[in-house]
Amino acid sequence: MAQYSTTLDDAFQALADPTRRAVLSRLGTGPASISELAGPFDMALPSFMKHIRLLEKSGWIRTRKVGRVRTCTLDTASYAAVENWLLTQRDVWEGRTDRLETFAASIRIEEKEL
Amino acid sequence: MAQYSTTLDDAFQALADPTRRAVLSRLGTGPASISELAGPFDMALPSFMKHIRLLEKSGWIRTRKVGRVRTCTLDTASYAAVENWLLTQRDVWEGRTDRLETFAASIRIEEKEL
């Protein structure tokens, strides 16, 4: 449970930055090298690499170096964890809304019967 | 666009903490006072209030003080923004997977025809 919680902390933290979200969006269309990924950003390479390392550490991407080129690939495991948390929340508050609607409907029926 | 990006930064940042996620889960079941929300946490009230303020600032909750009691309510606007971003990502990489499958299928058909 603690590990699951830490994973979610890292997964959400990784998404709290526009550069990292843009990198993930780009990788959604297929693998890319670091230089391809860094291209659109007006950022020094060491700063960009911090984002890449954070995405790798938090499980959003995998990287692999062949020769002098490091290629990044999207890893959808973190996506699944994040989506699962969000869907669970929705189930809770939609369940509550459904219960409130059932309750309101039952009151309307009772009122009609009076 | 910049504002949308900042909103998403704040929305995801708010989720990168187990206390804040637990507060949101609790509020999914209905509104609660600060003291009710703080109850399960072994945390000084000023520290807990920092979490509450961050959740309010990032649009996840609304708070209202009546007399001496501040009540918190879930606000699902941030949920919609976060969900929208995630679904867009999924569309991109599932679209890509579909295209790859179509391509692989077309190759299999061509191979059969040879």
Side-chain angles (χ1 to χ4, degrees):
Chain A
M1 183 64 197
Q3 197 186 346
Y4 175 69
S5 181
T6 308
T7 308
L8 273 179
D9 287 5
D10 292 345
F12 281 122
Q13 184 64 55
L15 298 182
D17 179 276
T19 302
R20 293 194 291 267
R21 288 197 303 276
V23 167
L24 292 179
S25 295
R26 164 60 190 85
L27 290 177
T29 66
S33 69
I34 297 286
S35 56
E36 275 176 84
L37 289 173
F41 300 102
D42 185 19
M43 194 182 291
L45 192 61
S47 302
F48 187 75
M49 286 306 294
K50 280 186 191 170
H51 289 303
I52 293 295
R53 278 192 291 268
L54 199 145
L55 285 171
E56 191 172 19
K57 184 176 156 280
S58 59
W60 279 103
I61 67 169
R62 279 170 283 131
T63 79
R64 185 163 170 256
K65 197 168 188 178
V66 177
R68 296 178 63 165
V69 178
R70 183 173 291 277
T71 303
C72 303
T73 313
L74 191 68
D75 184 345
T76 53
S78 281
Y79 187 97
V82 158
E83 190 178 45
N84 185 48
W85 186 84
L86 285 166
L87 289 177
T88 305
Q89 305 316 304
R90 183 186 273 283
D91 282 349
V92 171
W93 49 264
E94 284 193 343
R96 178 179 151 254
T97 311
D98 289 348
R99 284 195 302 278
L100 281 174
E101 278 168 3
T102 308
F103 176 66
S106 72
I107 288 176
R108 282 195 294 274
I109 290 167
E110 281 174 18
E111 282 172 349
K112 277 186 187 171
E113 286 172 350
L114 284 178
Chain B
M1 182 65 196
Q3 197 186 349
Y4 175 69
S5 181
T6 308
T7 308
L8 274 178
D9 286 5
D10 292 346
F12 281 122
Q13 184 65 53
L15 297 181
D17 179 276
T19 301
R20 293 194 292 266
R21 288 196 302 276
V23 166
L24 292 179
S25 294
R26 165 61 190 83
L27 290 177
T29 67
S33 69
I34 297 285
S35 56
E36 276 176 83
L37 290 173
F41 301 102
D42 185 18
M43 193 181 292
L45 192 62
S47 303
F48 186 76
M49 285 307 293
K50 281 186 191 168
H51 290 303
I52 294 294
R53 277 192 291 268
L54 200 145
L55 285 171
E56 192 174 16
K57 183 177 155 281
S58 59
W60 280 103
I61 68 170
R62 278 171 283 132
T63 80
R64 185 163 170 256
K65 198 168 186 179
V66 177
R68 297 180 61 167
V69 177
R70 183 174 292 276
T71 303
C72 304
T73 314
L74 191 67
D75 184 345
T76 53
S78 282
Y79 187 97
V82 158
E83 191 179 43
N84 185 47
W85 186 85
L86 286 166
L87 289 177
T88 305
Q89 307 314 305
R90 182 186 274 283
D91 281 350
V92 171
W93 48 263
E94 284 194 343
R96 179 180 151 252
T97 311
D98 289 348
R99 285 195 301 277
L100 281 174
E101 279 168 4
T102 308
F103 177 67
S106 70
I107 288 176
R108 282 196 295 274
I109 290 168
E110 280 174 18
E111 281 173 349
K112 275 185 188 171
E113 287 172 350
L114 286 177

